[in-house]
């Protein structure tokens, strides 16, 4: 958000002619804890997770990064899909909050 606001300010003050950003991004952690997929692992969950994964997506629904590790036992395709679905939903919530915050602080053109 800070980067977007800084770039908007630079455009407003004519220091940039166009916005260099192509999209917003959001990131979350997901994992398998006690056999269940979990969104936004806290420290206690992360330290005991069977699987730990970080997912980054843009506001077009495209993946930028998926990084996951089977910490204590392998995970299967159904668990992977479940974690990716949770991550998608969590990131959509983050992106909507970013868009609301940006619209609330827009500078006049």
């Amino acid at each position: 958000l800070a980067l977007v606001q800084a770039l908007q300010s630079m455009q407003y003050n004519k220091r940039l002619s166009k916005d260099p950003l192509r999209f917003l991004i959001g990131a979350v952690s997901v994992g398998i804890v006690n056999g269940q997929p979990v969104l936004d692992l806290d420290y206690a969950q992360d330290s005991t997770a069977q699987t730990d994964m970080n997912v980054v997506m843009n506001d077009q629904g495209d993946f930028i990064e998926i990084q996951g590790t089977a910490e204590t036992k392998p995970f299967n395709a159904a668990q992977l899909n479940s974690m990716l679905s949770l991550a998608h939903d969590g990131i959509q919530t983050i992106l909507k909050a970013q868009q609301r915050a940006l619209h609330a602080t827009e500078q006049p053109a």
Side-chain angles (χ1 to χ4, degrees):
L1 290 175
L3 174 61
V4 172
Q5 291 172 335
L7 292 172
Q8 286 173 343
S9 177
M10 291 176 76
Q11 286 178 288
Y12 179 74
N13 293 313
K14 308 292 186 220
R15 293 174 61 204
L16 278 178
S17 60
K18 72 178 207 177
D19 190 349
L21 291 182
R22 297 181 307 200
F23 42 74
L24 296 175
I25 62 168
V28 295
S29 65
V30 290
I32 304 291
V33 179
N34 297 322
Q36 297 298 314
V38 177
L39 174 66
D40 194 23
L41 304 175
D42 62 22
Y43 177 78
Q45 292 168 321
D46 187 82
S47 66
T48 62
Q50 289 95 13
T51 301
D52 178 23
M53 182 177 292
N54 299 310
V55 180
V56 182
M57 296 177 75
N58 66 24
D59 60 359
Q60 306 300 302
D62 300 319
F63 291 101
I64 295 171
E65 179 180 12
I66 301 173
Q67 182 274 320
T69 304
E71 300 287 351
T72 60
K73 69 180 206 179
F75 55 95
N76 60 41
Q79 290 170 314
L80 173 62
N81 289 334
S82 181
M83 287 186 287
L84 290 176
S85 179
L86 273 177
H88 175 271
D89 293 348
I91 290 170
Q92 290 305 307
T93 299
I94 290 168
L95 291 170
K96 287 176 185 170
Q98 287 178 353
Q99 290 167 343
R100 281 192 308 272
L102 290 170
H103 290 321
T105 61
E106 283 183 348
Q107 295 188 19

